[in-house]
Amino acid sequence: MVEVNSQAIPEVLILMGSASDWKHLRGAVEVLEGLGVSFEVHVSSAHRTPARTVDLVQTAEAGGCRVFICAAGMAAHLAGVVAAHTVRPVLGVPLPGGVLDGVDALLSTVQMPGGIPVATFAVGSAGARNAAFFAAQVIAGDRPEVGVALKDARRVGGEKIGVADREINTELRAGKDS
Ligand code: RP5
């Protein structure tokens, strides 16, 4: 079990624009838990609860939160608004949905005007997981044990590829022999 940094203010704050986004974010939470990174998750919208969103960000930053992960779909401006209120890294995760199924959110998130950066990840669950890994990579700069957990996670991922390769080739050989 990886030791989690148990400070009151989390190292990572995950914000999503709607409860309908949660299904895409579960994997990010699993990644952070597995790596021993502390986090907090909130539903808060840039347009439906703008004041609360700013309050969450400012409170987290004042308490020492290191990285913000912001996930939203459609005209996704959550990450940009959060980036306007903090100088800590903001990782944007565009989510699928709506008539353009995530392409709208991708462009909204990635096309920040110069000066207020949002590091933008892939659309959907893969992007959410990668944002969590990236947040852990930032935090590993100060917490070497998180770096060790990241290397372990990559080793396990590589081992799964090796197992899959052996299983497929065993199946192919069995097919030829029958
Ligand atoms: C965005 O609009 C949310 O992030 C969500 O992805 C999308 C749709 O929200 P709901 O109408 O499902 O609440 O703000």
Side-chain angles (χ1 to χ4, degrees), residues 16-21 23-24 43-48 71-78 93-98 105:
M16 68 193 93
S18 168
S20 65
D21 297 330
K23 56 186 173 293
H24 304 293
V43 179
S44 194
S45 164
H47 49 277
R48 289 168 174 154
M74 301 179 77
H77 37 263
L78 180 61
V93 183
L95 296 179

Side-chain angles (χ1 to χ4, degrees), residues 1 11-12 23 33 39 42 89 96 99 117 119 126 131 134 150 154:
M1 186 70 186
E11 295 166 297
V12 177
K23 56 186 173 293
E33 281 175 343
F39 61 89
H42 290 289
V99 289
F134 195 91
L150 280 161
R154 290 202 179 182

